[in-house]
Amino acid sequence: QVQLAESGGGLVQAGGSLSLSCAVSGLPFEYYHMGWFRLAPGMEREFVGAATSSGQRFTNSRAVYADSVKGRFSIGRDDVKNTVTLQMNNLKPEDTAVYYCAAEYDGKPFTIREDRYDYWGQGTQVTVSS
């Protein structure tokens, strides 16, 4: 059974930092792009960032970020522990949302479209106070 489990959410003050983690099981982790999305109240779910797959012959894993978080958030993946992380720095109140990790099989080119992702976690709440 494929499982994605986010952890690390919580309440932080503006300007603070928080690290999220997503544990993945039940799939060949190295052949999946791992993305982070977030959903704020009254908003559509949006792409935050991703680490592309590490198992392809001619390409290396790379990090991709939404413009709204560039320079503040960073993505990491551990292909031994099958985890992907989201390090969030200089948090702002507008970062408040439920954060989800998702997996996309790399048989097709990487995409930020949420409808192309195959598996999703249940999400973890991040609240940033002013």
Side-chain angles (χ1 to χ4, degrees), residues 27-40:
L27 56 78
F29 182 76
E30 65 186 28
Y31 293 107
Y32 278 79
H33 308 302
M34 296 301 305
W36 286 97
F37 295 79
R38 66 187 182 186
L39 179 63

Side-chain angles (χ1 to χ4, degrees), residues 30 35 41 53 57 59-60 70 75 85 87 102 109 112 118 123 126 128:
E30 65 186 28
S53 69
R57 179 178 180 182
T59 59
N60 296 319
K70 285 182 179 178
I75 303 290
T85 60
Q87 178 64 48
I112 66 172
D118 304 296
V126 172
V128 184

Side-chain angles (χ1 to χ4, degrees), residues 2-121:
V2 175
Q3 292 185 330
L4 283 70
E6 304 95 337
S7 62
L11 174 64
V12 298
Q13 294 183 345
S17 298
L18 197 64
S19 181
L20 307 182
S21 180
C22 177
V24 181
S25 62
L27 56 78
F29 182 76
E30 65 186 28
Y31 293 107
Y32 278 79
H33 308 302
M34 296 301 305
W36 286 97
F37 295 79
R38 66 187 182 186
L39 179 63
M43 304 291 289
E44 295 182 351
R45 186 158 56 187
E46 65 174 344
F47 174 79
V48 175
T52 63
S53 69
S54 58
Q56 291 295 323
R57 179 178 180 182
F58 299 108
T59 59
N60 296 319
S61 178
R62 67 185 191 278
V64 182
Y65 302 98
D67 289 340
S68 60
V69 305
K70 285 182 179 178
R72 299 190 298 121
F73 292 8
S74 63
I75 303 290
R77 68 181 293 154
D78 188 328
D79 291 322
V80 175
K81 297 181 178 180
N82 288 5
T83 60
V84 60
T85 60
L86 180 66
Q87 178 64 48
M88 303 182 292
N89 300 317
N90 192 24
L91 283 162
K92 304 175 181 179
E94 52 263 42
D95 294 319
T96 295
V98 177
Y99 283 72
Y100 300 87
C101 68
E104 177 198 12
Y105 181 58
D106 72 358
K108 296 182 178 180
F110 170 77
T111 181
I112 66 172
R113 290 175 52 183
E114 65 175 273
D115 63 312
R116 293 282 301 279
Y117 280 72
D118 304 296
Y119 303 101
W120 292 82

